[in-house]
Structures are given as structure tokens and as C-alpha cells.
Amino acid sequence: MLLKNRVLTIALALMVLTSCHDENSNAGQQQQAPSVSAVRVHPEDIPLTFEYAARAQGSKETEVRARVGGILLKRNYVEGSNVKEGDVLFEIDPEPFKVALEQAKASLAQNKAQLKAAQTQWARISKLFEQRVVSEKSRDDALANLDSLRASTQLAQAQVDKAKLDLGYTTVKAPISGVTSMEAQSEGSLIAATDNSSLLTTITQLDPMYVIFSASENEILALTNMVDRGLITNPENSQDIIAKVKFGDDTQYTEDGQINFINPSIDESTGTIKLRAVFPNPKGRLRPGQFLRLFMEGMTRVNALVVPQEAVIQGANSAYVYRVSPQGTVESVNVQTGLTTKDGGWIIDSGLNPGDVIITSGVMKIRPGMAVNVQIDGETPATEKK
């Protein structure tokens, strides 16, 4: 009897210890469920911004060259100053061209006198031929002489016109308005119209100003595909695309620009497409050759699902995120990332559904299938709601 009581006592003690162990084990498992932060994704329209390295370029860059040779007598502008179209920039010695013009005029006058005599002779000969006084050969000779003098008179007139042009070219005028460069030839130099010495200066038009940049072929293709799928609104309407630039010190230029040119061909060496934006530049803040950062805005990614970048993990084969299932456990979901937002988020093109809860912090301490305590940004925890 005593032995039986001892056995019952030991059995009861073992049952109590086992029960306590199970309760402690369940409590420990509950306490071991890690706490994580998460976001609930909802479709939204996201304004897109694309950033590119760019370089400023004058909207017009024109070389001013001498069209006749001679001694460069005078420069009429200050280097680096603004000039207007039609301003006289240089003067080339005009005297040889004045002489050539007078010679051409004299030759023209001589030809006109000979032509007048030939016309008089032709009138006389043709009348006598009708009266059968002169031969047919005499008539033909008079007509040939008249035609020859008409041609030589036209040639003399052309020489006069050319001499006038050459004399006019001795005054070199600005072909466009803009800023002049340093002079290429100094006063007193002998210049020619057929070699490198013909270059006198360069004029660059600064208002408006061009900003040149390049986009990758893959990026353009991706944008085109999203347009075809209706995910981006009106990216090909240049009136809706706004260009902005920042200087090297990160200050932003106050004027907005427009994309006004897209090169139809791809650069085979770089795989990029060249684009051009035009900016008003009334104060001359933009200068040719300036390195800038261009931001292209005005496009919208519609119905986008956005997650913070820290939520996206790059795996061996694809990117993935950790999603919280309705049962409160962790799921690994492969996703396809797309464009980025201004605040550094990833737009997920495929893999997620509206309403999914995506873990954003604590990803290093979780694994698929694990139960987690979730705090969703912007939502009140369920425990507090009770």
C-alpha cells in the first residue's frame, strides 16, 4: 500500500512538471515571434523623375569667316561681348576691291557700247537683206556678232555684280545675335578666304540655350513598353514633359525647359539615344560647355505599387520581398522592380497585389514560414483597437 501511494505521488508530480513545461514552452514561442515593421501597398499615381548627366550648348554656334582675302584693318567689337545680327565686326582693306569694281564697270560699259553698235548694224543688214542688197552670209555674220556681244555684256554685268559682292564682303557683319569669342586673327593680319586664316571669330547664341543628354536604349524601350500597356501617361507629348537642371553646386536653375528633340538613331558605341532640351536663358546663367544634371519630369506612373527600397532583397535569380500572410506568417515573394520614386521607393511592376503587407525592417531575423508580430506603418495595431 505504501509503495502504491509513492508511485501515484511521483506520477502526479511528473504530470504537473510536464504541464508547466508545456505552458512555459508555448509562452516562450509566443515571446520568440519577432516584431517587424511593414507597409500595406495600395495602387497610386506616382509622378516620375529621371536624372541624367548633361552639358549645355548654345542654340546656335556660328563661325564668322572672311569671304574675301586681304589685310584685316579693324575689329569693331569687344571680345566676349554681346553683338546683334548685322553688327559690323571686322573691316578688310576695301581698296583692291574698289579698283576691281571700277574695272568691271568699265568692261560692262564697253560691252554695252559694242552691243548697241551691233544692234544698229543688225537692223541695217536685215533691212538690206530683205531688199536683196546684201548676201545671206552678211546677214548671218551680223546676227552672230549681235548674239556674241549680248553674251559678253551679260558676262560683264555678272563681273560687276561679283565685284560689288566682294567689296561688300570687306565689311564682315554678325550673321546671328550672340556672344563673341576671342578673335582668331588680329588687326593687320593678311587673311585668305580659302584656308584656316579665314576664321575671324565665333558667335554663340545663349538665349535660348540647349542642354544635351543621353538616355540608355533599355530605358527608352522600358518606357515605350509601359506606354503601350497604359502604365505611363503621355510621355511622348513634349508639351507635358518638363526639364529642369541643377548646377554643379546643387543649386537649381530657375527656368524650366522642354524636350524639343530626340535622335531617331541609337549610338552604336554607347547604346544610348541623344536628346535635347531647350531652356530660356535671358540672364546668361547657362554657358556653353557647362556640365549640368538634367531632371525630366511631367510623366506619371499610374496604379503603381510602391515599397521602400530596404524591403527589396536581391536574390541569386531575382529580387524578392517578405510578405505577411493573412495567418501572420512570413512569405517570400519574387518581384520585378521597375522605376524609382522621388523619395527612394521601388515601383513593383509584377509580383504583388493591392493590399499586400510587405515587411520593411527586421528582415535579417525572419525566414519564410515564421510567425511575426507586425506593426503596419500608418495603421493602429490590433491590440490597441481592442
Side-chain angles (χ1 to χ4, degrees), residues 141-315:
D141 289 344
L143 180 59
N145 183 52
L146 177 61
D147 290 339
S148 175
L149 286 172
R150 282 173 176 169
S152 62
T153 301
Q154 290 179 347
L155 177 60
Q157 181 63 57
Q159 290 173 340
V160 170
D161 295 339
K162 181 181 182 302
K164 287 180 179 179
L165 283 175
D166 289 344
L167 180 59
Y169 291 153
T170 61
T171 301
V172 181
K173 298 180 180 180
I176 63 172
S177 299
V179 177
T180 57
S181 67
M182 294 177 61
E183 64 177 7
Q185 300 291 337
S186 59
E187 295 173 346
S189 299
L190 176 62
I191 58 177
T194 56
D195 57 23
N196 292 334
S197 68
S198 65
L199 178 61
L200 302 178
T201 190
T202 301
I203 299 177
T204 303
Q205 183 172 319
L206 301 183
D207 187 19
M209 197 74 172
Y210 287 158
V211 176
I212 309 299
F213 63 101
S214 296
S216 71
E217 176 187 3
N218 292 337
E219 187 175 42
I220 297 298
L221 288 175
L223 288 175
T224 302
N225 290 335
M226 284 189 284
V227 171
D228 294 340
R229 294 160 55 192
L231 300 179
I232 291 182
T233 58
N234 288 334
E236 295 183 357
N237 186 347
S238 62
Q239 298 301 317
D240 291 339
I241 300 178
I242 300 173
K244 300 178 182 290
V245 293
K246 285 187 177 181
F247 299 104
D249 60 357
D250 206 39
T251 59
Q252 183 166 316
Y253 182 56
T254 56
E255 301 283 351
D256 292 342
Q258 297 287 341
I259 307 300
N260 72 337
F261 175 76
I262 301 176
N263 200 333
S265 61
I266 299 173
D267 189 326
E268 296 180 359
S269 61
T270 61
T272 59
I273 299 175
K274 183 175 290 186
L275 298 92
R276 184 180 69 197
V278 58
F279 287 82
N281 192 33
K283 297 181 180 179
R285 287 289 309 281
L286 299 177
R287 307 293 292 186
Q290 223 170 9
F291 286 99
L292 305 164
R293 283 185 298 145
L294 183 138
F295 298 86
M296 192 165 61
E297 301 178 351
M299 293 175 283
T300 301
R301 171 67 160 83
V302 297
N303 297 324
L305 299 178
V306 182
V307 299
Q309 286 193 5
E310 58 267 23
V312 180
I313 305 168
Q314 187 62 49

Side-chain angles (χ1 to χ4, degrees), residues 2 52 222:
L2 180 60
Y52 304 94

Side-chain angles (χ1 to χ4, degrees), residues 22-38:
D22 291 341
E23 291 178 0
N24 292 335
S25 177
N26 291 336
Q29 289 180 358
Q30 291 180 357
Q31 291 176 357
Q32 289 176 0
S35 297
V36 295
S37 298

Side-chain angles (χ1 to χ4, degrees), residues 8-24:
L8 289 173
T9 301
I10 293 172
L12 289 172
L14 289 173
M15 291 177 63
V16 170
L17 288 174
T18 301
S19 175
C20 291
H21 176 73
D22 291 341
E23 291 178 0
N24 292 335

